[in-house]
Structures are given as structure tokens and as C-alpha cells.
């Protein structure tokens, strides 16, 4: 039986993810995800109610595998994403990392986050914030992200919301 992940190891993985996004190390960021990883940013259905069915309800982002994230990175690198040219500068802060549970599917890890975003084109800044719900799964000797749900608390989006801003 594999040793369970420690709170420090879980926090380190989440911190590394934010650092990869902030430094635009896209390949390192993608390597943190399992091939079948789900990446989901649900929309709000009401003041205190999130949508709960990403296949049938509106989501801000929903990828059912790492391939969707790889495609998004490809669009940024290729310059075909005109909304991302030039890329915004970001600084992620991850805190309150807790192990919320374990199951045969993996370890549930929750955290709070903020992301300060500066848009060089508009000379404007914004702060996104919310909660993360990760499911981590061991692949060989390495813990990876098998599922990431991002609850965006301030969903009044000024101009652009992309994976690296949240």
C-alpha cells in the first residue's frame, strides 16, 4: 500500500502549480496533471448555489482531460489566442491547504486562493479569489492532480478569464 500524502506534500504541490502558472512554465504545469484530469470552474446558479452538473449546465471552464488544457496552452504559445496577447502577469497565493478526505479515487485537498492579475495592454489590474478542491492521485512515485474544481467567488469578470488567472 502506498504511503498517504502528507499535508506538507499536498501544499507543496498546490504551491508549485501556482508558481508554474506565474512563471509561464506551461510544460511543468501540465506535468502536474494526470492524463484523465478534470478541470472545472462552475458558474453560479444563484447567490449561494453553484451549478453541479458540468455536462448539462453552464460552466466558466470545463475540460474532461489534460488534452483540453494542452490545447489551451498550444493556443497561447501559437499566438492564436488574441485575447491573451500580451499575456497577463499573475501572482497566485494559495493558503489554508487541508486534506479533506481520502477515497479509492485519491486524496481530496481543499485550499483558498487569490490571483493578482495585471493586464499590460490595458494597464489594469484585478484580483480573482476563491476556493480550490483538488483530487490528487499517486502515479508511480509522484502525486498528480486528477481533478481540480475552482470555485470563483468574484465572478464579475472584467475582460478575460483564463486558466492561468485562477
Amino acid at each position: 500500500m502506498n504511503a498517504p500524502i502528507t499535508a506538507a506534500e499536498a501544499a507543496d504541490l498546490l504551491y508549485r502549480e501556482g508558481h508554474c502558472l506565474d512563471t509561464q512554465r506551461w510544460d511543468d504545469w501540465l506535468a502536474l496533471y494526470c492524463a484523465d484530469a478534470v478541470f472545472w470552474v462552475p458558474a453560479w446558479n444563484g447567490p449561494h448555489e453553484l451549478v453541479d452538473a458540468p455536462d448539462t449546465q453552464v460552466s466558466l471552464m470545463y475540460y474532461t482531460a489534460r488534452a483540453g488544457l494542452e490545447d489551451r496552452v498550444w493556443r497561447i504559445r501559437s499566438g492564436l489566442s488574441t485575447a491573451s496577447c500580451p499575456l497577463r502577469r499573475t501572482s497566485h497565493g494559495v493558503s489554508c491547504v487541508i486534506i479533506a478526505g481520502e477515497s479509492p479515487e485519491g486524496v481530496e485537498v481543499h485550499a483558498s486562493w487569490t490571483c493578482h492579475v495585471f493586464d499590460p495592454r490595458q494597464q489594469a489590474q484585478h484580483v480573482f479569489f476563491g476556493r480550490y478542491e483538488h483530487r490528487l492521485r499517486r502515479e508511480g512515485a509522484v502525486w498528480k492532480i486528477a481533478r481540480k474544481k475552482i470555485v470563483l467567488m468574484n465572478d464579475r469578470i472584467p475582460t478575460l478569464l483564463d486558466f492561468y488567472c485562477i
Side-chain angles (χ1 to χ4, degrees), residues 62-165:
Y62 181 52
Y63 296 105
T64 59
R66 185 179 65 207
L69 299 174
E70 291 168 351
D71 180 65
R72 190 69 200 119
V73 166
W74 180 86
R75 290 180 52 76
I76 287 171
R77 284 181 168 154
S78 71
L80 294 175
S81 175
T82 56
S84 296
C85 292
L87 277 176
R88 279 98 180 123
R89 297 189 298 241
T90 62
S91 178
H92 285 76
V94 179
S95 63
C96 302
V97 179
I98 61 168
I99 296 178
E102 295 183 45
S103 71
E105 289 82 34
V107 177
E108 298 297 322
V109 177
H110 294 181
S112 298
W113 64 273
T114 60
C115 185
H116 296 260
V117 181
F118 179 74
D119 183 344
R121 180 175 23 189
Q122 296 182 358
Q123 297 291 301
Q125 56 190 333
H126 188 73
V127 178
F128 293 108
F129 60 91
R131 296 186 313 267
Y132 288 147
E133 298 175 12
H134 286 85
R135 177 177 299 137
L136 306 181
R137 183 173 68 215
R138 188 184 293 272
E139 289 191 350
V142 179
W143 286 95
K144 291 193 174 191
I145 300 167
R147 179 181 176 275
K148 181 175 183 178
K149 177 180 174 184
I150 303 170
V151 177
L152 180 61
M153 301 304 282
N154 60 328
D155 61 336
R156 297 287 183 201
I157 300 162
T159 59
L160 167 91
L161 180 71
D162 211 333
F163 70 91
Y164 60 88
C165 297

Side-chain angles (χ1 to χ4, degrees), residues 4-65:
I5 193 168
T6 66
E9 289 171 321
D12 182 68
L13 178 56
L14 274 57
Y15 300 154
R16 279 188 290 124
E17 182 185 20
H19 181 71
C20 288
L21 292 170
D22 294 341
T23 56
Q24 300 173 10
R25 291 173 32 220
W26 309 127
D27 293 330
D28 293 339
W29 176 69
L30 289 167
L32 298 174
Y33 282 81
C34 299
D36 61 346
V38 173
F39 186 94
W40 181 35
V41 185
W44 287 93
N45 211 19
H48 299 285
E49 178 189 354
L50 290 167
V51 300
D52 59 5
D55 291 318
T56 59
Q57 294 175 304
V58 173
S59 293
L60 300 175
M61 286 182 220
Y62 181 52
Y63 296 105
T64 59

